[in-house]
Amino acid sequence: MTEFADYFWGEKNNGFDVLYHNMKNGLDSSREFVEFLRESCAVEEGYIKLQVKLSKFATNCGTKGSFSPYWQVIRTLAEKISTVHQELLTSWQELLRDVQKYNADQQKKHREIKDHETGTIESVQGFQQTLAALQKSKEKYHACSLEFEKLKRDNASPKELERAEQKLKRAYDEYRQFIEKYSAVRTEFETKMTDACKRFQEIEESHLKQMRDFVDGFANAWEKHCNQLGEAQKEFQNSGSELTVEKLLELLVQSKTTGTEKPGSIEFEDTDLSTLPQPVATPDTEKKDFSTQDKNKKEGGGGGAVQRFPMLLDTANHVSGFLQGRRRKKKKTKQDSQEKIESEAVDKNSLQLDEEGYQIQPNNLMGNDRDSWYSSSESDSGERFIN
């Protein structure tokens, strides 16, 4: 197992500073991880908004046509993906709050450690100062010793040798004092530095464990997210595989069917004339009907045609009735005109009545032929007669 107490000594004895700054770097790491989570949540939130927009777009699609059932599967996938990303965002937001809380607690803890390690800091600084002074006194002693030996070899004067010897003695005493001081400071420094290394190691182990837990939480949320996406993808594939072409056609028929009965054959139906009122028989109509029948008999073959085509006969009768009505109307108008002429003629002549009281028509009027009513020359003669 790695022990900080075995690796943070060295010539400069700055192991404490390295460990202390490493602890502060842990605080920076947690702060940076907070920023990373915040940015991840922002990215995920933006993606969720786009996914919701995409889901709404899919909802508005596929309202018509035989492919509309597949749009339902696509909408379900889009909604599922949006839900999965929302769950991931919620997990990361909870993790972000935990890391922020840990960062705040870490800042308080670092201030407490700094206050607690004040003695260690003073010990380290004292040891470093003592070591520097010891090294300086050592160099001075060695310089004085070399100078004194040189004077001795050069046969210097006794006075110069005496001064050099006194200087060497002071340097020796100073050097010995720093050695003794160094021994005392070193013991205290080693003790406090060893304890500080243990505390820094505990802090670092706790920090790394907590950060690993945060990273594992981030990874677990992402793994769950990926698994849910995989499930959504499998559901999408399964639902899509069920919607075969035959199935889509069947769903279309079920939703848009207009009926299964084909149109039947239609046969010709004659007009039902039973609902029409019976025509009123008049003398003129009867005469016209008899004359029409006589004409058909004379022309020949008419009876066979009527028997073969009874509907044509009915249609001809309707047309004939219409034309007869027109003729009767014109004939009635001429009769009214003729009666007016006759009445005027009767006024001019004396009226003659028979035994039953009916008026006897003049001979010149009764002698006219029946067809004279349709002749313009006879009407002219009638007018001349009246005049």
Side-chain angles (χ1 to χ4, degrees):
M1 181 178 178
T2 303
E3 296 289 343
F4 283 1
D6 297 334
Y7 298 96
F8 292 95
W9 302 100
E11 292 183 6
K12 296 181 180 180
N13 299 297
N14 58 351
F16 182 87
D17 291 338
V18 172
L19 292 174
Y20 180 77
H21 284 91
N22 181 71
M23 182 184 68
K24 293 181 68 176
N25 291 335
L27 180 63
D28 295 336
S29 298
S30 62
R31 187 182 298 113
E32 292 170 353
F33 192 67
V34 167
E35 293 299 324
F36 172 78
L37 289 176
R38 185 178 289 113
E39 290 297 325
S40 299
C41 291
V43 172
E44 198 66 24
E45 186 174 2
Y47 182 82
I48 291 173
K49 291 180 179 179
L50 296 176
Q51 191 65 35
V52 170
K53 184 178 179 181
L54 183 62
S55 178
K56 291 181 179 179
F57 175 80
T59 302
N60 296 328
C61 295
T63 57
K64 299 178 182 179
S66 59
F67 192 72
S68 57
Y70 223 114
W71 275 112
Q72 179 63 34
V73 178
I74 296 175
R75 284 194 296 270
T76 302
L77 175 64
E79 293 172 357
K80 182 69 174 178
I81 292 175
S82 178
T83 302
V84 170
H85 280 277
Q86 184 63 47
E87 292 178 0
L88 177 63
L89 176 62
T90 302
S91 299
W92 283 356
Q93 287 175 344
E94 293 177 356
L95 180 63
L96 174 61
R97 288 191 291 269
D98 294 340
V99 178
Q100 288 175 335
K101 184 177 181 301
Y102 169 73
N103 187 264
D105 295 340
Q106 198 176 22
Q107 290 178 351
K108 295 179 182 179
K109 189 174 183 179
H110 285 186
R111 285 194 293 267
E112 293 176 358
I113 291 173
K114 184 177 181 180
D115 296 338
H116 185 271
E117 296 296 335
T118 301
T120 305
I121 295 173
E122 292 176 354
S123 176
V124 171
Q125 292 176 350
F127 178 76
Q128 290 175 344
Q129 292 173 1
T130 301
L131 183 60
L134 176 61
Q135 186 68 24
K136 186 176 181 181
S137 65
K138 177 182 177 181
E139 292 175 356
K140 183 179 180 181
Y141 170 73
H142 288 172
C144 293
S145 178
L146 291 175
E147 183 180 358
F148 179 72
E149 289 295 330
K150 184 179 180 182
L151 290 174
K152 285 175 63 175
R153 292 177 183 181
D154 293 341
N155 296 320
S157 61
K159 190 175 182 179
E160 291 178 350
L161 290 175
E162 184 180 359
R163 287 197 300 270
E165 184 178 4
Q166 292 177 355
K167 187 177 180 181
L168 176 62
K169 186 178 180 181
R170 287 194 300 268
Y172 173 79
D173 293 338
E174 183 179 357
Y175 182 43
R176 293 289 300 179
Q177 290 176 359
F178 277 113
I179 289 177
E180 294 176 359
K181 185 178 180 180
Y182 172 78
S183 297
V185 172
R186 182 180 68 84
T187 303
E188 181 183 3
F189 169 73
E190 288 182 357
T191 302
K192 291 186 176 182
M193 185 62 187
T194 302
D195 295 339
C197 287
K198 291 180 179 180
R199 284 190 292 271
F200 281 127
Q201 185 167 354
E202 291 175 357
I203 293 172
E204 193 65 22
E205 288 177 354
S206 176
H207 168 68
L208 293 176
K209 182 179 179 180
Q210 185 63 64
M211 292 299 295
R212 281 294 307 274
D213 291 341
F214 289 149
V215 174
D216 290 341
F218 178 84
N220 291 334
W222 183 256
E223 182 180 6
K224 181 180 178 181
H225 169 75
C226 293
N227 292 335
Q228 290 176 340
L229 286 180
E231 294 176 359
Q233 190 264 346
K234 290 181 180 178
E235 292 178 1
F236 175 73
Q237 283 185 337
N238 294 334
S239 300
S241 61
E242 294 176 358
L243 293 176
T244 60
V245 174
E246 182 65 26
K247 182 65 174 180
L248 292 174
L249 294 178
E250 181 181 351
L251 294 175
L252 174 65
V253 169
Q254 292 177 358
S255 61
K256 301 294 184 179
T257 180
T258 58
T260 57
E261 296 183 1
K262 297 180 180 180
S265 60
I266 299 177
E267 298 180 356
F268 181 81
E269 296 181 3
D270 198 0
T271 305
D272 186 8
L273 303 179
S274 61
T275 58
L276 296 177
Q278 295 295 331
V280 179
T282 59
D284 294 336
T285 304
E286 293 177 355
K287 291 179 181 181
K288 191 65 177 179
D289 291 341
F290 288 132
S291 63
T292 303
Q293 293 178 1
D294 294 340
K295 185 177 180 180
N296 291 335
K297 290 179 179 180
K298 290 178 181 181
E299 290 178 354
V306 171
Q307 293 177 358
R308 286 193 300 269
F309 303 102
M311 185 188 71
L312 297 177
L313 179 58
D314 293 337
T315 305
N317 290 337
H318 280 289
V319 176
S320 176
F322 174 75
L323 296 177
Q324 289 175 6
R326 293 285 300 273
R327 293 193 186 100
R328 284 198 300 271
K329 185 175 181 181
K330 291 181 180 180
K331 185 175 181 180
K332 185 178 179 181
T333 303
K334 291 183 181 182
Q335 287 176 352
D336 293 340
S337 177
Q338 186 65 26
E339 290 175 358
K340 183 177 180 181
I341 295 172
E342 291 176 356
S343 63
E344 289 178 358
V346 170
D347 290 338
K348 290 182 181 180
N349 300 319
S350 60
L351 298 175
Q352 296 179 3
L353 300 176
D354 57 10
E355 294 178 357
E356 295 179 358
Y358 290 98
Q359 181 182 353
I360 299 174
Q361 296 292 336
N363 293 329
N364 59 349
L365 295 176
M366 296 298 292
N368 292 335
D369 188 66
R370 179 172 57 86
D371 295 333
S372 62
W373 300 105
Y374 299 94
S375 175
S376 61
S377 60
E378 292 296 327
S379 63
D380 292 339
S381 64
E383 291 178 359
R384 286 194 300 270
F385 173 77
I386 295 172
N387 292 329

